[in-house]
């Protein structure tokens, strides 16, 4: 038999049912909110995943670019290494060429120095030969006049003394002979005052006076030869003049050259040097003196 509830019990059951319904609706709303929250979280998670994938794509692109840049840098490094090797090889070749050039230059300088020395010797010999030729020519002319009777005024004693001196001395007249023969030389004037002036030098050798002409370059050549041989030589006047063709400057230079020549011939160590004798044509003059004495001796006999 069913038991019948009282009115209070029914009311209590109804209240419980209402509370259950309210709780159920609350739970449904909470579940709905939870679902909406889950959907929101899922959407956010999806966005985050998409952002991660985007970042991964960007990082992959950056990595690819880095790989490309690394390859390019590697290629540049290889090119630079090849260029450095080529430069080292070029530097080595240039150094060898420079060393060969220095050796060739040194050999050329040595040959040039030897050739210059030979040239100086040849010039000295040429000057001596020219001086000898000029002196012999003058002596031949003098002897011709002598044979014609123009100069047969010397005494027999002088002729005998000249012949005796000629027999005692050699006909070649080297520097040793000059040590016993006194001579004087002075710069007496300007023979040619043009573009290349020549300075007249008057030489007196045992009563025979003759004049020669020398350029400044010949004075400088004599000075250079004496200095090259280690001689103590007086100074020359300056090579360059403010006004080359000025008569005043040429006269000043003539005076200074005369002073230079006097200091040379007054120095016992310089006076008898072959270079000085050749410059003044002393050897040729000695030969002429000896020839003249010999001819006079033969003429008197």
């Amino acid at each position: 038999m069913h038991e019948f509830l009282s009115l209070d019990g029914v009311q209590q059951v109804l209240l419980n049912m209402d509370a259950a319904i309210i709780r159920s609706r609350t739970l449904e709303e909470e579940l709905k909110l939870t679902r909406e929250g889950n959907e929101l979280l899922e959407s956010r998670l999806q966005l985050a995943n998409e952002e991660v994938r985007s970042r991964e794509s960007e990082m992959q692109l950056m990595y690819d670019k880095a790989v490309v840049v690394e390859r390019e840098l590697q290629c540049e490094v290889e090119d630079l290494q090849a260029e450095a090797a080529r430069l080292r090889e070029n530097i080595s070749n240039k150094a060898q060429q420079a060393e060969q050039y220095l050796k060739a230059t040194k050999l050329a300088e040595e040959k040039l120095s030897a050739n210059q020395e030979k040239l100086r010797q040849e010039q000295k010999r040429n000057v001596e030969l020219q001086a000898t030729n000029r002196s012999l020519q003058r002596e031949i002319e003098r002897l011709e006049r002598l044979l014609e009777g123009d100069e047969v005024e010397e005494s027999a004693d002088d002729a005998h003394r000249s012949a005796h001196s000629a027999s005692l001395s050699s006909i070649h007249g080297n520097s040793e002979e000059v040590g016993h023969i006194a001579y004087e030389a002075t710069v007496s004037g300007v023979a040619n005052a043009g573009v290349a002036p020549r300075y007249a030098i008057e030489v007196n050798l045992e009563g025979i006076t003759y004049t020669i002409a020398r350029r400044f370059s010949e004075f400088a050549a004599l000075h250079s030869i004496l200095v090259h041989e280690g001689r103590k030589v007086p100074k020359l006047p300056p090579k360059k003049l403010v006004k080359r063709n000025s008569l005043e400057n040429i006269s000043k230079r003539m005076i200074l050259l005369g002073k230079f020549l006097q200091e040379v011939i007054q120095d016992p160590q310089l006076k008898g040097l072959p270079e000085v004798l050749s410059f003044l044509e002393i050897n040729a003059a000695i030969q002429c003196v000896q020839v003249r004495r010999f001819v006079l001796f033969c003429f008197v006999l």
Side-chain angles (χ1 to χ4, degrees):
M1 295 285 302
H2 293 287
E3 294 182 359
F4 293 98
L5 297 175
S6 63
L7 183 58
D8 294 331
V10 173
Q11 290 179 351
Q12 184 65 36
V13 171
L14 291 173
L15 289 173
N16 291 334
M17 289 177 66
D18 290 337
I21 292 170
I22 292 171
R23 191 179 297 114
S24 175
R25 288 177 180 174
T26 301
L27 291 174
E28 287 178 356
E29 290 178 357
E30 290 179 358
L31 181 60
K32 185 178 179 181
L33 290 174
T34 302
R35 288 176 179 173
E36 290 178 355
N38 288 337
E39 291 177 356
L40 181 60
L41 289 174
E42 287 178 356
S43 62
R44 288 181 178 178
L45 181 60
Q46 187 177 2
L47 290 174
N49 291 333
E50 291 178 355
E51 185 175 357
V52 169
R53 286 193 294 271
S54 177
R55 294 290 178 86
E56 288 178 351
S57 299
E58 291 178 357
M59 291 180 66
Q60 185 65 34
L61 291 174
M62 292 176 65
Y63 177 76
D64 295 339
K65 289 182 179 179
V67 170
V68 173
V69 171
E70 183 180 3
R71 289 177 181 174
E72 292 178 352
L73 289 175
Q74 185 66 27
C75 293
E76 290 182 359
V77 169
E78 292 176 356
D79 292 340
L80 289 175
Q81 289 177 348
E83 183 68 21
R86 187 164 52 253
L87 288 175
R88 284 194 294 269
E89 185 178 358
N90 289 337
I91 290 172
S92 177
N93 293 334
K94 294 293 184 183
Q96 292 178 358
Q97 292 177 1
E99 185 177 0
Q100 294 175 357
Y101 176 76
L102 289 175
K103 291 181 180 178
T105 303
K106 186 176 181 180
L107 290 175
E109 289 177 352
E110 292 176 356
K111 291 182 180 179
L112 179 60
S113 178
N115 291 335
Q116 288 177 346
E117 183 64 26
K118 291 180 180 179
L119 180 61
R120 282 194 293 268
Q121 297 295 332
E122 291 294 332
Q123 288 176 347
K124 287 168 58 177
R125 283 195 291 268
N126 290 336
V127 170
E128 291 177 357
L129 290 174
Q130 292 175 1
T132 302
N133 290 335
R134 287 194 296 269
S135 300
L136 288 176
Q137 185 64 32
R138 288 196 298 267
E139 189 62 25
I140 288 172
E141 294 176 356
R142 191 182 300 239
L143 291 175
E144 289 178 351
R145 291 194 299 271
L146 178 64
L147 293 176
E148 291 175 359
D150 294 336
E151 296 183 2
V152 192
E153 299 294 336
E154 293 186 357
S155 63
D157 294 338
D158 293 337
H160 283 293
R161 284 195 300 270
S162 299
H164 181 67
S165 300
S167 62
L168 293 177
S169 61
S170 170
I171 194 68
H172 297 290
N174 52 25
S175 59
E176 295 178 356
E177 293 173 331
V178 179
H180 304 286
I181 298 178
Y183 71 89
E184 296 178 355
T186 57
V187 179
S188 58
V190 181
N192 179 18
V195 177
R198 292 177 177 269
Y199 300 91
I201 302 176
E202 185 175 324
V203 184
N204 189 332
L205 175 65
E206 289 194 349
I208 296 178
T209 302
Y210 61 93
T211 302
I212 58 176
R214 292 286 183 263
R215 294 180 179 176
F216 178 80
S217 59
E218 294 176 283
F219 280 92
L222 174 63
H223 183 274
S224 176
I225 291 172
L226 295 178
V227 171
H228 181 72
E229 293 180 355
R231 303 288 184 176
K232 186 178 179 181
V233 187
K235 293 183 179 180
L236 274 176
K239 182 177 180 180
K240 294 184 179 180
L241 298 175
V242 178
K243 296 180 181 180
R244 294 185 59 185
N245 297 328
S246 171
L247 294 177
E248 181 181 358
N249 288 333
I250 293 175
S251 299
K252 290 181 179 179
R253 174 178 279 181
M254 181 191 71
I255 295 173
L256 295 175
L257 289 176
K259 183 179 178 181
F260 164 77
L261 183 61
Q262 288 302 313
E263 292 181 4
V264 169
I265 64 176
Q266 289 175 5
D267 189 337
Q269 296 182 354
L270 300 178
K271 183 176 182 179
L273 291 177
E275 294 82 3
V276 178
L277 303 181
S278 174
F279 180 78
L280 297 174
E281 301 183 7
I282 297 295
N283 290 336
I286 291 175
Q287 292 179 2
C288 294
V289 170
Q290 293 172 347
V291 170
R292 181 182 180 187
R293 290 173 177 175
F294 180 76
V295 172
L296 289 175
F297 175 74
C298 293
F299 183 80
V300 170
L301 292 179

